[in-house]
Amino acid sequence: MLPTSTEDQFPGQNATQKEHQMASIGFIGLGNMGLPMASNLQKAEYKVSGYDVFDTAQQAARSSGLALANSNTDAALNADAVVIMLPNGAIAIQVAKEILPKMTPSSLLIDCSTIDVASAHEVHRLATVAGILCLDAPVSGGVGGATAGSLTFMVGGTNEAFATGEPLFAVMGQKAVHCGDGGTGQAAKICNNMLLGISMIGTCEAFALAEKLGLSQSALFDVVSTSSGSCWSVNTYCPVPGIGPKSPADNAYKSGFSATLMLKDLGLAQQSANDTDAVTPLGSHAKNLYQQMVDAGFGETDFSGMIEFLTDAKDGKI
Ligand code: NAD
């Protein structure tokens, strides 16, 4: 078993790290996010066994030196914890059904995928029936954060499961917030990303309007970044090239976080809003705008490229 840590935010990481160095971790889903996360666990001397159903991903993992299994169940067998990092809820449930019967009793399943809240509850239910601890633990920080080991985890599940998973979050990330019971990690993720989608569109509109008004975009940045309009989309990830800290805008909007992934998360937020009768008119509008951006062929563009999409659409270039 993974030793547990009940301390708040990864204190004592170095002291406890040695104890679990040989703990076995199954890692399923070795895509853009999963491979660097699994590699960081292996670098921290966990005994990792990875698997991806997609040949190319499996080969990339092999070339990077990750230890590999031959199937999902192989990866899960005898593991102290299994981390899954998969595209959607249906696949997460399918993989959970595959591996849970093979997992060691009282070991831990951590689902880091971004999925709908209902599917997250189903994964928790399946794990409970199988006698396995479970956490939904979606992440913020993208591929850069996964590679640097600086992700933020939003975690739902029991105190016992969270304490058991904490040492792994400490390797893969810089922060893990225990949000509450099963499903609350996914709830936090979609609320955060709905707000991010809305704030990015607002930021793009403000900079586009400034340009039309003859206000320099660097002056607008200097004002807004220290005024009441300041937000992450302005201060850290400004959608205008050459303004503020380096961001995808300075790299031709090559994706840090693609418009397709933003659309996915806004879709999950609307699904939850419909299920719970929550009022989210701007969330709905943001989803429609990202849908248009993706339909126009900008799915792989960074989500901050919304500024170009809006301007080009207005000028009739799209
Ligand atoms: P990805 O498509 O690159 O990776 C997913 C991997 O899962 C693929 O390699 C795929 O082959 C594998 N897979 C699919 N079905 C499988 C199965 N049955 N068994 C084993 N492997 C299977 O996606 P990603 O960008 O790594 O994202 C993974 C998750 O993280 C998604 O839920 C995404 O929404 C979320 N996320 C992504 C980012 C990002 O910037 N990419 C940021 C935050 C959260």
Side-chain angles (χ1 to χ4, degrees):
M1 266 307 291
L2 288 166
T4 58
S5 154
T6 51
E7 293 167 277
D8 262 342
Q9 201 52 68
F10 310 148
Q13 180 187 344
N14 291 338
T16 53
Q17 195 70 50
K18 293 273 177 242
E19 293 176 44
H20 0 273
Q21 277 181 346
M22 287 315 286
S24 299
I25 312 295
F27 205 114
I28 296 173
L30 304 172
N32 294 321
M33 297 290 290
L35 178 56
M37 291 164 73
S39 300
N40 283 335
L41 288 170
Q42 186 167 280
K43 274 183 216 142
E45 296 186 33
Y46 283 92
K47 191 167 171 287
V48 176
S49 178
Y51 185 74
D52 194 294
V53 78
F54 185 42
D55 267 355
T56 312
Q58 187 85 344
Q59 272 163 27
R62 185 170 292 112
S63 316
S64 78
L66 191 77
L68 292 175
N70 292 320
S71 66
N72 287 337
T73 46
D74 259 13
L77 213 59
N78 299 322
D80 298 299
V82 177
V83 183
I84 62 178
M85 192 52 166
L86 298 163
N88 61 46
I91 296 176
I93 290 172
Q94 178 211 315
V95 169
K97 283 182 176 163
E98 231 177 292
I99 62 173
L100 282 166
K102 308 286 178 191
M103 287 178 65
T104 309
S106 301
S107 61
L108 173 67
L109 173 65
I110 306 179
D111 181 11
C112 291
S113 332
T114 302
I115 64 174
D116 59 289
V117 176
S119 295
H121 283 139
E122 178 60 5
V123 172
H124 276 275
R125 191 191 68 76
L126 291 165
T128 304
V129 169
I132 304 292
L133 297 173
C134 183
L135 296 169
D136 53 296
V139 304
S140 174
V143 177
T147 306
S150 61
L151 294 168
T152 295
F153 290 86
M154 296 149 248
V155 190
T158 61
N159 289 340
E160 183 191 4
F162 182 69
T164 307
E166 251 189 325
L168 303 183
F169 298 137
V171 170
M172 298 184 285
Q174 62 179 351
K175 186 167 181 174
V177 180
H178 190 192
C179 300
D181 293 342
T184 54
Q186 296 296 348
K189 168 80 185 177
I190 59 174
C191 290
N192 180 73
N193 279 22
M194 182 178 78
L195 180 55
L196 174 61
I198 293 168
S199 78
M200 179 53 78
I201 294 168
T203 300
C204 293
E205 290 186 0
F207 278 93
L209 177 60
E211 194 179 24
K212 293 283 184 197
L213 294 173
L215 168 64
S216 93
Q217 292 178 313
S218 64
L220 182 67
F221 177 83
D222 287 347
V223 172
V224 173
S225 62
T226 52
S227 299
S228 48
S230 74
C231 60
W232 187 86
S233 297
V234 172
N235 293 33
T236 308
Y237 209 88
C238 188
V240 180
I243 307 284
K246 275 237 165 318
S247 72
D250 300 307
N251 191 20
Y253 301 99
K254 258 179 87 183
S255 182
F257 186 62
S258 72
T260 298
L261 281 174
M262 175 50 82
L263 177 60
K264 171 191 170 182
D265 292 357
L266 290 168
L268 294 176
Q270 283 312 293
Q271 194 179 327
S272 291
N274 290 338
D275 290 349
T276 56
D277 235 354
V279 185
T280 58
L282 287 182
S284 166
H285 199 49
K287 175 179 171 267
N288 291 340
L289 284 171
Y290 275 103
Q291 183 72 62
Q292 289 170 33
M293 183 173 167
V294 169
D295 290 347
F298 297 98
E300 291 313 307
T301 301
D302 187 78
F303 80 111
S304 62
M306 174 58 77
I307 193 163
E308 292 216 316
F309 169 72
L310 288 174
T311 322
D312 287 356
K314 159 125 197 344
D315 295 345
K317 290 189 197 150
I318 293 170

